[in-house]
Amino acid sequence: MNDNSSLKAALSRRTVLKATAAAAAGAGGMVPGLQSAVWAQGSDKPEKEEVRIGFIPLTDCASVVMASVLGFDRKYGVKIVPTKETSWAGVRDKLVNGELDMAHVLYGLIYGVHLGVSGPKKDMAVLMSLNNNGQAITLSKKLADKGAVDGASLAKVMAADRRDYTFAQTFPTGTHAMWLYYWLASAGINPFKDAKVITVPPPQMVANMRVGNMDGFCVGEPWNHRAIMDGIGITAVTSQEVWKDHPEKTLGTTADFVRKYPNTCRAVIAAVLEASKWIDAGLQNKLKMAETVAAKSYINTSVDAINQRILGRYQNGLGKTWDDPNHMKFFNDGAVNFPYLSDGMWFLTQHKRWGLIKEHPDYLAVARQVNQIDLYKEAAAAAKVSVPTQVMRSSKLIDGVVWDGKDPAKYADGFKVKVG
Amino acid sequence: MAPTPASSLRIVIVAPETLNPDPSDVEAGWEAERSRSLRIGLLQGGYDVVAVLPADVFLPDRLAQIQPDMIIVDAESQARDTLEHVVVATRDARRPIVLFTDDDDTSHVKDAIAAGVTVYVVAGLAPERIKPVLDVALARFQHEEALRRELAKTRTQLQDRKLVERAKGILMKRYGCDEQQAYERLRKAAMDKGLRIAEVAQRLIDVADVIG
């Protein structure tokens, strides 16, 4: 059986079905349930209907959870089973051994596994990006009392009062490690020479800072806000200040799963897209989402710890408050969810910068392999979500350096502060 | 008990902090029981359990001090990510990490081992069954390490050969010499400087890039 030709045939049938659906929707307006009828009867029928999706208790697991809670999954003929996980290493192992079908997972982790940075090397896939923004770096209240409230003042305090400074992130190849390192480096602090970096699970960050085990950490919400509520830390910088609209969590799976169950992948992407759209649609939805994910079965925290920053209401713990237009976004008219190749490549450049990979990979080829752009486009069409025309995007990060996906090797080597 | 070869294997267990959990917390009680039976099993198997460490931020430091031959941890613990840091930091001196998990679907365990994931072992084993399981885990790890080293060596050799080929090319073009002479020049320079031929080749290529 030639996989390629049968896939092509399936795709062309898809196009016909999509056209029919669009025509019907155009004639009769949005007909609830129509889409599911189309997906169910044609060749688009998900090959695997029950999909186990792992998540870590963090605010940004919301779109996966809401897709299941609000029933967007059923609309596309799948049933999402959100599965709470305790560690990123556990998520990785369960993706690799097939115990989980997909996961809410750190962008950098997927690339780390694909390149075999630690332990198993396995071809991985990014189906879509789940959110932008909404992480932060917290410094201990003790450090803040000495004047360290941002990158520059932290560098000064560290130079004046020499001792071991300990900073925590959540996973060696993950996003928080990269935001932390990038920010420290932008202030002239080499995370590997001038500081000690450790990995700590998100729910343990605040407790560890309280007993003085660390000077700073980078983690997703609600834990930075929680540190302020508990009076033990301040927000030195938000991740959106490090990189406005940065990629964060992805819907990740293995390349094997994509090959075996492409229709299931499309269905899940479409369902999560609808949930993302729903969350970003307004205040009421966000509050409802915060209430849902705060529950014991998901994040297990108070709603108060989540809803402030979800709505963009920030305080830094030193009396400053602001409305942040670049708060955590789940949809932003689809701009959040497109798996830009340049986003994936960025993590590779940072893995190289910090010595996690020894050689320059073929950045573009790896990103093309991992980020499932075609699959995403088809699912976005089904969910009527607009898709950007470019596969790369350009951003200026906190140090003023522009990243646009062109010449990644030069970009990776161009940083003054790095390993090696 | 008669000494076994296993007795030389130094093991660190990463476990929940308390063996006397809150009596109302059924799950914690069960975990403590499991942890206890695991330790008994290891001791009966003749293993040297050098430490039982809590999964806190000091774990990496303590592991660095103790340098155990094997680490045993609860698979469902948040300590996994802290250990991951140790794994990445000590990539060149790897040691097996064995995870005791609640998942009794043996096919998952088998898949995990086949995929080269740190070994998963189903929890709740009778103490006398722990030793054979760990022996298999260790043998598996050593086998994989051997393969990994072999692969790394082959990769380096291939990389070295490419460098030498390029350097020879540069010499041949510049001095109009043949391949054998170019190689001899490289070899002499390597011997004079006490470097590997590939290192000399790399330097030559770097310099040629600058000079053009």
Side-chain angles (χ1 to χ4, degrees):
Chain A
M1 173 99 187
N2 185 334
D3 273 358
N4 216 0
S5 70
S6 69
L7 186 67
K8 264 190 209 140
L11 285 180
S12 66
R13 276 199 296 278
R14 261 194 56 77
T15 320
V16 175
L17 288 169
K18 225 163 45 193
T20 320
M30 283 298 290
V31 184
L34 172 72
Q35 200 73 37
S36 81
V38 172
W39 282 80
Q41 62 178 234
S43 59
D44 284 345
K45 189 173 171 358
E47 304 88 345
K48 186 175 194 300
E49 284 172 13
E50 193 172 292
V51 189
R52 288 169 61 86
I53 306 187
F55 72 92
I56 293 281
L58 291 165
T59 307
D60 52 26
C61 73
S63 53
V64 169
V65 169
M66 296 315 286
S68 156
V69 170
L70 297 174
F72 289 122
D73 52 351
R74 262 87 77 202
K75 181 172 166 187
Y76 291 96
V78 287
K79 180 169 182 281
I80 292 176
V81 183
T83 310
K84 188 169 171 170
E85 299 296 329
T86 42
S87 71
W88 294 116
V91 168
R92 180 217 36 213
D93 289 352
K94 288 178 182 177
L95 276 177
V96 167
N97 73 24
E99 211 173 314
L100 288 173
D101 296 319
M102 300 176 185
H104 153 252
V105 62
L106 301 162
Y107 216 124
L109 183 150
I110 292 289
Y111 275 81
V113 176
H114 189 85
L115 293 179
V117 167
S118 64
K121 178 172 169 11
K122 172 108 178 160
D123 285 354
M124 300 300 285
V126 164
L127 297 177
M128 66 189 290
S129 164
L130 291 178
N131 68 299
N132 287 167
N133 308 333
Q135 327 292 306
I137 295 172
T138 293
L139 291 178
S140 76
K141 196 83 196 333
K142 252 192 233 157
L143 217 48
D145 289 342
K146 288 189 181 143
V149 295
D150 57 19
S153 53
L154 174 67
K156 246 186 243 164
V157 167
M158 284 174 71
D161 180 12
R162 294 218 167 261
R163 62 170 173 87
D164 272 348
Y165 287 84
T166 305
F167 297 93
Q169 35 79 358
T170 60
F171 197 76
T173 52
T175 51
H176 303 116
M178 299 310 135
W179 311 141
L180 178 68
Y181 301 167
Y182 201 98
W183 178 73
L184 287 171
S186 75
I189 302 165
N190 187 318
F192 295 94
K193 282 187 194 139
D194 309 330
K196 187 179 161 195
V197 174
I198 57 176
T199 300
V200 172
Q204 291 178 17
M205 291 287 187
V206 175
N208 272 301
M209 184 169 272
R210 182 176 292 118
V211 295
N213 285 344
M214 58 174 79
D215 299 287
F217 59 70
C218 181
V219 69
E221 298 302 344
W223 306 109
N224 299 287
H225 186 70
R226 188 59 195 274
I228 293 175
M229 284 168 74
D230 291 5
I232 56 143
I234 60 124
T235 294
V237 70
T238 62
S239 58
Q240 52 267 31
E241 289 174 282
V242 176
W243 176 357
K244 180 177 165 283
D245 294 337
H246 65 80
E248 178 53 42
K249 305 298 186 302
T250 73
L251 186 62
T253 183
T254 60
D256 285 343
F257 190 88
V258 173
R259 262 193 297 274
K260 245 167 116 180
Y261 309 110
N263 293 341
T264 299
C265 290
R266 276 186 285 263
V268 175
I269 296 170
V272 175
L273 273 174
E274 292 224 20
S276 310
K277 187 177 184 175
W278 181 89
I279 293 170
D280 272 11
L283 193 70
Q284 286 312 312
N285 291 2
K286 280 187 187 144
L287 290 176
K288 172 93 195 318
M289 174 275 276
E291 238 167 69
T292 308
V293 300
K296 187 158 189 290
S297 48
Y298 302 113
I299 305 178
N300 191 20
T301 187
S302 69
V303 181
D304 301 350
I306 297 175
N307 61 13
Q308 294 297 309
R309 288 194 169 185
I310 272 294
L311 300 174
R313 289 183 199 139
Y314 274 74
Q315 48 170 305
N316 70 347
L318 294 164
K320 183 181 154 194
T321 60
W322 71 99
D323 278 322
D324 195 334
N326 305 315
H327 55 78
M328 186 183 289
K329 302 252 168 76
F330 290 91
F331 186 62
N332 197 13
D333 199 22
V336 167
N337 313 98
F338 186 74
Y340 286 101
L341 296 182
S342 52
D343 286 359
M345 289 159 71
W346 186 84
F347 289 100
L348 294 174
T349 66
Q350 300 303 303
H351 289 169
K352 176 69 178 67
R353 178 185 183 184
W354 303 118
L356 290 162
I357 44 180
K358 304 246 158 85
E359 311 284 337
H360 286 292
D362 186 340
Y363 294 91
L364 185 59
V366 172
R368 274 191 199 286
Q369 224 180 336
V370 174
N371 287 18
Q372 305 295 313
I373 286 192
D374 292 340
L375 211 59
Y376 176 86
K377 280 184 180 163
E378 289 151 11
K384 301 190 179 56
V385 169
S386 60
V387 172
T389 50
Q390 302 295 323
V391 295
M392 304 276 193
R393 60 174 178 151
S394 178
S395 330
K396 189 193 263 184
L397 275 67
I398 193 170
D399 54 356
V401 178
V402 172
W403 164 244
D404 55 12
K406 289 174 203 151
D407 211 344
K410 192 174 156 207
Y411 177 79
D413 286 339
F415 293 100
K416 244 192 291 170
V417 180
K418 60 185 170 188
V419 165
Chain B
M1 186 183 297
T4 63
S7 64
S8 59
L9 202 62
R10 299 166 68 253
I11 291 182
V12 160
I13 302 176
V14 180
E17 230 167 301
T18 175
L19 282 180
N20 300 302
D22 179 358
S24 65
D25 191 337
V26 178
E27 204 169 306
W30 193 81
E31 240 174 54
E33 185 47 45
R34 190 175 85 187
S35 187
R36 191 177 297 125
S37 81
L38 170 64
R39 286 175 220 191
I40 292 169
L42 288 168
L43 290 173
Q44 285 178 347
Y47 286 99
D48 181 8
V49 179
V50 288
V52 181
L53 301 177
D56 60 18
V57 296
F58 303 108
L59 185 60
D61 288 343
R62 295 201 173 113
L63 288 175
Q65 284 162 1
I66 298 170
Q67 293 287 332
D69 300 309
M70 185 186 266
I71 302 165
I72 297 184
V73 66
D74 189 329
E76 299 306 325
S77 159
Q78 294 171 345
R80 291 293 315 284
D81 290 342
T82 307
L83 277 173
E84 186 69 17
H85 193 96
V86 177
V87 171
V88 171
T90 58
R91 253 188 300 177
D92 301 325
R94 300 194 334 155
R95 57 177 67 91
I97 296 178
V98 176
L99 303 150
F100 279 72
T101 161
D102 293 336
D103 184 358
D104 54 4
D105 184 340
T106 47
S107 68
H108 284 157
V109 177
K110 235 170 50 205
D111 287 348
I113 295 175
V117 178
T118 336
V119 190
Y120 279 72
V121 177
V122 177
L125 281 180
E128 66 273 14
R129 288 223 32 226
I130 289 175
K131 187 177 174 319
V133 164
L134 286 190
D135 288 347
V136 170
L138 188 69
R140 173 104 216 163
F141 175 81
Q142 283 164 344
H143 175 67
E144 268 163 24
E145 277 298 282
L147 286 179
R148 210 175 62 89
R149 272 196 298 271
E150 190 61 32
L151 182 66
K153 203 172 122 201
T154 314
R155 276 210 188 116
T156 315
Q157 280 171 349
L158 190 66
Q159 184 68 19
D160 284 1
R161 197 179 305 163
K162 277 189 200 156
L163 286 175
V164 172
E165 288 302 319
R166 272 186 66 197
K168 279 197 299 193
I170 292 168
L171 288 174
M172 285 155 69
K173 202 169 146 203
R174 184 166 288 257
Y175 298 105
C177 58
D178 67 22
E179 201 179 332
Q180 184 61 29
Q181 287 165 327
Y183 183 75
E184 273 161 18
R185 263 173 185 265
L186 281 176
R187 198 177 55 183
K188 181 162 184 322
M191 280 165 70
D192 291 348
K193 296 206 164 56
L195 294 170
R196 293 191 305 119
I197 290 193
E199 286 170 326
V200 172
Q202 180 68 61
R203 290 183 184 190
L204 189 101
I205 292 164
D206 290 345
V207 172
D209 278 350
V210 177
I211 299 174

